[in-house]
């Protein structure tokens, strides 16, 4: 297994495979060398969770919705490449 491992668990009953695949594609495009692997994990019960090395980065149930992609990229970046700029996707400094 390559590290860091990012997992996206999605609900098959809700037909969220395309959303999970698109999210994985976006993260792999952004973090081309920082992610070791990305796994899509079928689940049920409305799950849409993103985990990095077993730690939950985003849970649809806990956060009451799907992640905004820019926010998700920031959360992943903060763990795999904290000094890296995300350009236009980055949070604005106040």
């Amino acid at each position: 297994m390559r590290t860091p491992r990012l997992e996206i668990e999605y609900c098959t009953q809700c037909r969220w495979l395309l959303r999970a695949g698109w999210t994985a594609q976006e993260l792999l495009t952004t973090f081309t060398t920082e992610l070791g692997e990305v796994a899509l994990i079928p689940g049920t019960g409305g799950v849409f969770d993103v985990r990095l090395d077993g730690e939950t980065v985003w849970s649809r149930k806990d956060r009451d919705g799907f992640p905004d992609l820019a926010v998700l990229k920031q959360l992943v970046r903060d763990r795999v490449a904290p000094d890296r700029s995300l350009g236009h996707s980055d949070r604005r400094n106040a």
Side-chain angles (χ1 to χ4, degrees):
M1 181 167 63
R2 297 179 182 186
T3 59
R5 176 185 168 93
L6 186 118
E7 300 174 344
I8 302 171
E9 185 175 2
Y10 65 95
C11 180
T12 57
Q13 296 166 315
C14 303
R15 300 185 183 268
W16 288 337
L17 173 60
L18 288 177
R19 180 184 293 265
W22 173 75
T23 302
Q25 176 182 325
E26 287 292 321
L27 292 172
L28 283 168
T29 300
T30 300
F31 301 103
T32 56
T33 59
E34 293 89 356
L35 292 175
E37 68 177 300
V38 174
L40 299 179
I41 301 172
T44 58
V47 68
F48 194 90
D49 291 350
V50 180
R51 293 183 292 272
L52 188 61
D53 287 339
E55 179 186 347
T56 300
V57 175
W58 188 275
S59 172
R60 189 190 70 79
K61 286 184 180 179
D62 291 347
R63 298 215 186 193
D64 222 14
F66 292 100
D68 176 84
L69 194 56
V71 171
L72 184 58
K73 286 181 180 183
Q74 291 166 6
L75 292 169
V76 171
R77 182 273 316 273
D78 290 349
R79 288 164 175 77
V80 300
D83 296 328
R84 180 169 170 207
S85 170
L86 292 174
H88 71 278
S89 292
D90 220 341
R91 71 186 111 214
R92 301 202 186 278
N93 295 328

